[in-house]
């Protein structure tokens, strides 16, 4: 009997085929959902840009979304943290992630962007992908280990398809669940889901944002020192965003217990900020400003700070959407400013900042380094790894996903027992 014909090999091939088939199904579902989401998001963004007066209705929109979520959205209010918690605590026969998450986060995020809330799209894509993945896992009666990897594949498929970066989607799905450990068990289904999801989204006519390709910049010791200075600036911006968003969220929940009223107040605050700044640049995704950061030497030096405030208020008060694109905005615009000060090419500064801020905020430095290579080319290496990893280390044990499990300290040994990041930080404070 050959090795390939042995019972162990046959079991391995069956498992591989099962992973690939489920990954493909998840990828198709993610690709279709992301395509519909991106198409509608593009329509409402163009409408808002052509009719900016609609932003005045953001408080009323927040009130209505809040009423809907307060009535029907309690089981899914955890968002990405619910997804991460489910993967870590799932058991055989456990209830699936509510499938209602798909339409509710879809519609809620679209309405947030229609009326000018400063939010992203990653959170929605990841939540839709994970929810669809879990529904597929339950449909095929997957056991606990298989269900975990299929949900992780949904994360990868959602992320890869919504940004058009399938390799980054793969690594994000494996890296985002824990600090100090990657979910390598999900490698095959996550890879298939991310690749298939990306191809389906593109096949349905979605054209992703094109970023300028970087020209090679030779590495040197002086350049390395400048990159570390840039990492320090990115870490400060990342910590500011995380802490400000958390402060607004906890303070508003204490002062205004009802979600609809919190969103009403948050919407009014965003409208006030919009009028004070006098620019539409900080509403919605802000993709045009991200692209400008790659080559505009006259970009306002305060752009990153303004986006931090707009986004922290929007998300902290309960509006729907992800953090990725606003963090891309913060990193790219701060990278533009840092490049001007340090004498670096603007495109390089913007690309490195784009990766570093979100990579540190989500504790996914490898995924974001790969993402930048997919967006601007191989010339980003090794610079993007240096800045993103340094920023990740400098931000300490904090992040935008407090449900992440901490397996190993960033500056120390592995923990005897993995703990949620929120619990670790709470214990450190006490």
């Amino acid at each position: 009997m050959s090795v390939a014909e042995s019972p162990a090999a046959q079991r391995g091939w069956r498992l591989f085929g099962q992973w690939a088939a489920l990954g493909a199904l998840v990828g198709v579902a993610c690709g279709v959902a992301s395509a519909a989401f991106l198409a509608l998001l593009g329509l409402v963004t163009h409408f808002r840009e052509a009719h900016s007066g609609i932003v005045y209705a953001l408080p009323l929109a927040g009130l209505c979304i809040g009423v809907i979520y307060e009535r029907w959205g309690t089981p899914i209010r955890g968002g990405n943290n619910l997804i991460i918690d489910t993967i870590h605590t799932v058991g055989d026969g456990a209830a699936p992630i509510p499938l209602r998450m798909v339409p509710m986060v879809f519609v809620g995020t679209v309405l947030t962007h229609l009326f000018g809330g400063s939010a992203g799209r990653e959170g929605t894509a990841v939540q839709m992908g994970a929810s669809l993945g879990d529904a597929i896992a339950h449909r095929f009666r997957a056991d606990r280990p298989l269900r975990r990897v299929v949900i992780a594949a949904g994360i990868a498929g959602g992320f890869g398809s919504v940004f058009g970066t399938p390799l980054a989607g793969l690594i994000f799905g494996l890296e985002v669940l824990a600090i100090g450990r990657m979910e390598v068990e999900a490698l095959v289904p996550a890879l298939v889901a991310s690749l298939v999801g990306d191809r389906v989204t593109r096949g349905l006519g979605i054209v992703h944002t094109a970023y300028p390709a970087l020209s090679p910049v030779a590495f040197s010791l002086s350049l390395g020192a400048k990159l570390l200075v840039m990492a320090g600036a990115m870490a400060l911006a990342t910590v500011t965003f995380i802490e400000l968003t958390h402060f607004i969220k906890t303070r508003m929940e204490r002062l205004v217990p009802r979600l609809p009223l919190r969103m009403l107040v948050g919407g009014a605050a965003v409208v006030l900020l919009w009028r004070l700044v006098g620019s539409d640049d900080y509403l919605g995704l802000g993709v045009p400003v991200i692209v400008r950061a790659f080559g505009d030497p006259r970009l306002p030096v305060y752009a990153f700070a303004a986006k931090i405030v707009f986004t922290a208020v929007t998300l902290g008060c309960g509006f729907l959407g992800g953090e990725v694109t606003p963090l891309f905005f913060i990193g790219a615009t701060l990278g533009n400013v840092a490049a001007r000060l340090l004498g670096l090419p603007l495109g390089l500064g913007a690309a490195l900042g784009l990766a570093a801020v979100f990579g540190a905020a989500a504790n996914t430095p490898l995924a974001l380094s790969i993402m930048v290579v997919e967006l601007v080319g191989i010339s980003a290496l090794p610079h993007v790894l240096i800045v993103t990893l340094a920023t990740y280390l400098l931000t300490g044990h904090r992040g935008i996903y407090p449900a992440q499990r901490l397996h190993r300290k960033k500056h120390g040994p592995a923990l005897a027992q993995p703990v949620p990041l929120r619990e670790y930080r709470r214990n450190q404070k006490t």
Side-chain angles (χ1 to χ4, degrees):
M1 179 186 295
S2 68
V3 174
E5 294 173 341
S6 68
Q10 291 176 0
R11 286 195 299 272
W13 281 112
R14 283 198 298 271
L15 184 59
F16 181 89
Q18 186 180 45
W19 282 343
L22 288 173
L25 286 175
V26 172
V28 171
C30 290
V32 172
S34 289
F37 173 60
L38 291 173
L40 190 54
L41 198 58
L43 290 175
V44 300
T45 298
H46 289 312
F47 182 86
R48 189 195 69 241
E49 290 172 347
H51 306 85
S52 60
I54 198 173
V55 178
Y56 288 110
L58 181 61
L60 181 59
L63 180 66
C64 295
I65 297 171
V67 169
I68 294 171
Y69 252 72
E70 191 175 60
R71 175 64 180 84
W72 292 286
T74 300
I76 62 172
R77 196 171 295 174
N80 285 347
N81 290 297
L82 170 64
I83 304 300
I84 295 172
D85 275 330
T86 298
I87 290 177
H88 286 295
T89 61
V90 64
D92 293 346
I97 298 168
L99 195 57
R100 74 178 72 176
M101 177 175 275
V102 176
M104 292 193 73
V105 299
F106 185 110
V107 174
T109 304
V110 168
L111 290 176
T112 296
H113 284 279
L114 173 63
F115 293 98
S118 177
R121 51 195 172 184
E122 148 274 340
T124 301
V126 165
Q127 290 167 46
M128 289 194 300
S131 180
L132 291 167
D134 202 18
I136 290 171
H138 271 264
R139 175 66 181 81
F140 287 91
R141 299 178 182 176
D143 59 15
R144 179 184 184 277
L146 184 58
R147 183 183 170 198
R148 293 181 78 252
V149 301
V150 172
I151 298 174
I155 294 175
F159 192 96
S161 61
V162 84
F163 289 111
T165 54
L167 295 181
L170 162 66
I171 302 302
F172 184 83
L174 306 182
E175 191 178 22
V176 73
L177 303 178
I179 299 172
R181 180 184 183 275
M182 295 187 72
E183 193 76 14
V184 293
E185 296 88 347
L187 180 61
V188 173
L191 174 61
V192 173
S194 192
L195 289 171
V196 170
D198 175 56
R199 296 317 306 171
V200 169
T201 299
R202 293 178 188 271
L204 291 174
I206 297 299
V207 178
H208 297 284
T209 303
Y211 293 91
L214 293 186
S215 299
V217 178
F219 184 77
S220 64
L221 291 179
S222 62
L223 175 60
K226 292 178 180 180
L227 296 181
L228 292 178
V229 171
M230 179 177 288
M234 298 303 161
L236 286 174
T238 303
V239 171
T240 300
F241 175 82
I242 293 171
E243 297 298 337
L244 181 60
T245 304
H246 178 71
F247 173 80
I248 292 174
K249 177 179 172 60
T250 54
R251 183 59 59 89
M252 288 298 293
E253 286 177 349
R254 188 179 306 120
L255 296 177
V256 188
R258 294 285 304 280
L259 177 62
L261 297 181
R262 286 203 304 275
M263 295 180 72
L264 174 68
V265 173
V270 171
V271 172
L272 179 60
L273 289 168
W274 171 57
R275 298 313 304 156
L276 287 173
V277 174
S279 171
D280 294 349
D281 287 345
Y282 310 105
L283 303 174
L285 293 170
V287 171
V289 179
I290 298 174
V291 176
R292 277 178 56 198
F294 281 76
D296 186 356
R298 296 178 300 278
L299 200 68
V301 296
Y302 59 82
F304 75 94
K307 191 64 171 177
I308 288 175
V309 176
F310 271 77
T311 308
V313 170
T314 299
L315 299 179
C317 290
F319 280 92
L320 303 179
E323 298 90 348
V324 175
T325 310
L327 287 168
F328 285 174
F329 184 118
I330 294 163
T333 52
L334 179 56
N336 174 288
V337 174
R340 284 186 261 170
L341 294 175
L342 296 171
L344 299 175
L346 295 183
L348 179 63
L352 301 185
L354 183 152
V357 171
F358 180 69
N363 292 303
T364 55
L366 296 181
L368 270 293
S369 296
I370 291 172
M371 184 175 194
V372 161
V373 172
E374 288 186 280
L375 293 177
V376 303
I378 198 69
S379 295
L381 293 175
H383 318 313
V384 67
L385 279 170
I386 294 171
V387 175
T388 306
L389 288 172
T391 305
Y392 162 77
L393 293 173
L394 289 171
T395 52
H397 297 96
R398 52 170 58 84
I400 54 176
Y401 306 134
Q404 286 175 319
R405 267 40 175 188
L406 182 62
H407 283 257
R408 178 180 293 275
K409 295 181 182 180
K410 294 183 181 181
H411 316 103
L415 301 182
Q417 182 69 32
V419 296
L421 190 57
R422 63 168 81 89
E423 182 179 325
Y424 175 82
R425 285 184 54 79
R426 185 163 57 243
N427 292 339
Q428 292 298 106
K429 290 179 180 178
T430 57

